Amino acid sequence: MQKKILVTGGAGYIGSHTVVELQNSGYEVVIIDDFSNSLPDSLKGIESITGKKPFFEQLDLCDAAGLKLFFNKHKNIAGCIHFAASKAVGESVNKPLHYYRNNLNSLMNLMECMIANGVEPLVFSSSCTVYGQPEKLPVTEDAPILKALAPYGNTKQICEEIIQDTITSGVKVKAIALRYFNPIGAHPSAKIGELPQGIPNNLVPYITQTAFGVRKELSVYGNDYNTPDGSCIRDYIHVVDLAKAHVIAISRLINGINKKPYEIFNLGTGNGYSVFEVIKAFEKASGKPLPHKVVPRREGDIEKIYADTKFANEELGWKAQLGIDDMMAHAWAWEQYYRKATHA
Ligand code: WQD
């Protein structure tokens, strides 16, 4: 009998790639998504890759009554992977109440339903943004949590505390928080990928849209940082590597091999790339020059961050396999497929 996993936000960027890897690993998947930052096409993309149609229900996790009904219908959920949240750093500065209400209530409603229905394993989508600008690099999981620069990052910090405090209260939940560094790229099939609504905040979708001609040129936010080429450094990780780590994490909890009721892992490659190095890697992958210009720094950007991946490598037996060239090639293939398929 296949174990059933609930994936909230499973039509989203990281969620859809995780659903593919869950199905490839023999899990049955049920998805809840409200399509606030995703499209139904992602569900078709998942099925076209795995040949398996995940059960789907359109639901806002802030609808507590609706979520209770969902859990009444699905009695045998073995574990939950929680992606559903608003995640644009800049937008969160302009809409703090939306971010606190959405990101905190959705987690609390989910955990209440899990506890009421005896569903214990929870994998939570967190972010390296909780570290702010770390004093020491590479950054380890026990690095101090610095004051978040934007409400988005603060919701991630508060959600991690909600999980910790709930588990400390003695209820039967066991959780793993995965702190992503910078997820980029797309499934090698080019059937699913990142679908930013409107003008992309993030670097790589802006690069691929510029290369396709959707945007005129990329603005590089500052070249006066204390880094070798002056641009910011990040730890970019392929979304498929990230997805695979989620399958390992939920399986770890379901099989009871977690060592503590709440574990936290960095998910990065351990390599830092500057903006200019990413541009160069993209030009190599696409075979075309990328129009770009340097503009002043973006408010809230940290200078450099990359992960110490030892804990995830040793405890989860997981290590990122794909490099920056694959990330660029797959991101570009997805952009071309998406624009041609949707004529957008
Ligand atoms: C990367 C680098 C920019 C756009 C955020 C969140 C993180 C996660 C990923 C959700 C920076 C530079 C960017 C552009 C640029 N989000 N840049 N021109 O800010 O590191 O991380 O998104 O889970 O939690 O904090 O990612 O892709 O926005 O920026 O020069 O048009 O690219 O200055 O140095 P970031 P990003």
Side-chain angles (χ1 to χ4, degrees):
M1 166 82 165
Q2 279 187 319
K3 287 194 165 50
K4 188 190 277 190
I5 306 294
L6 166 57
V7 179
T8 73
Y13 175 40
I14 303 167
S16 55
H17 287 82
T18 300
V19 171
V20 164
E21 299 309 327
L22 284 166
Q23 291 181 327
N24 289 344
S25 302
Y27 285 108
E28 183 192 346
V29 177
V30 288
I31 293 174
I32 288 178
D33 204 300
D34 65 0
F35 291 139
S36 58
N37 192 25
S38 55
L39 295 171
D41 282 356
S42 305
L43 303 174
K44 288 197 205 99
I46 291 168
E47 191 177 356
S48 70
I49 295 167
T50 64
K52 297 174 198 149
K53 188 178 175 55
F55 177 88
F56 170 74
E57 189 151 330
Q58 183 165 353
L59 184 62
D60 176 348
L61 288 180
C62 291
D63 169 9
L67 190 56
K68 280 199 184 81
L69 280 177
F70 178 91
F71 269 83
N72 290 342
K73 253 193 283 185
H74 293 274
K75 278 300 173 204
N76 56 345
I77 288 173
C80 298
I81 303 181
H82 179 47
F83 292 105
S86 302
K87 59 158 214 169
V89 175
E91 183 188 52
S92 77
V93 176
N94 304 323
K95 296 183 182 170
L97 288 178
H98 165 77
Y99 270 70
Y100 287 110
R101 183 179 302 113
N102 187 43
N103 292 5
L104 304 187
N105 283 351
S106 54
L107 173 68
M108 292 188 285
N109 288 344
L110 177 67
M111 292 188 78
E112 280 174 346
C113 282
M114 288 175 68
I115 294 162
N117 290 276
V119 179
E120 295 184 23
L122 169 65
V123 171
F124 174 66
S125 164
S126 191
S127 169
C128 66
T129 202
V130 302
Y131 297 118
Q133 176 57 69
E135 291 290 307
K136 204 165 125 323
L137 288 173
V139 63
T140 57
E141 287 82 353
D142 55 5
I145 301 298
L146 301 185
K147 176 154 179 37
L149 295 169
Y152 162 73
N154 203 22
T155 64
K156 289 300 180 185
Q157 291 179 4
I158 298 168
C159 282
E160 287 192 6
E161 288 164 8
I162 289 171
I163 295 168
Q164 177 65 72
D165 293 345
T166 305
I167 290 173
T168 308
S169 74
V171 297
K172 285 171 73 72
V173 168
K174 43 187 177 176
I176 289 178
L178 299 175
R179 290 177 180 164
Y180 311 155
F181 283 68
N182 285 57
I184 63 170
H187 193 270
S189 67
K191 296 280 174 58
I192 52 175
E194 195 165 1
L195 283 172
Q197 315 296 311
I199 301 174
N201 294 300
N202 293 140
L203 176 66
V204 172
Y206 206 105
I207 286 178
T208 56
Q209 288 187 20
T210 301
F212 199 83
V214 176
R215 309 284 162 207
K216 186 168 154 296
E217 69 181 337
L218 170 76
S219 297
V220 174
Y221 295 139
N223 66 350
D224 56 351
Y225 287 94
N226 179 22
T227 61
D229 64 18
S231 65
C232 295
I233 291 173
R234 296 288 184 275
D235 184 335
Y236 296 96
I237 175 168
H238 197 294
V239 65
V240 170
D241 278 327
L242 201 65
K244 289 179 176 171
H246 287 74
V247 180
I248 294 171
I250 196 71
S251 305
R252 177 180 173 92
L253 292 172
I254 288 172
N255 300 326
I257 52 176
N258 52 303
K259 294 201 174 131
K260 290 194 297 186
Y262 184 33
E263 296 174 310
I264 296 175
F265 295 95
N266 284 341
L267 292 186
T269 65
N271 305 313
Y273 284 96
S274 74
V275 177
F276 288 124
E277 285 171 326
V278 173
I279 292 171
K280 209 152 127 249
F282 180 80
E283 290 176 331
K284 183 177 143 204
S286 63
K288 47 198 286 179
L290 187 86
H292 61 280
K293 64 179 177 185
V294 177
V295 299
R297 296 181 174 193
R298 176 172 69 175
E299 191 62 32
D301 273 339
I302 59 168
E303 183 166 84
K304 61 182 157 199
I305 187 167
Y306 47 93
D308 180 317
T309 60
K310 227 190 308 1
F311 189 46
N313 300 155
E314 288 165 7
E315 273 304 315
L316 297 181
W318 167 89
K319 189 168 171 51
Q321 301 299 312
L322 297 165
I324 194 76
D325 294 334
D326 290 313
M327 297 179 214
M328 293 297 104
H330 297 157
W332 180 226
W334 158 248
E335 184 71 45
Q336 296 173 93
Y337 167 83
Y338 172 71
R339 298 290 164 192
K340 287 181 190 133
T342 57
H343 312 297

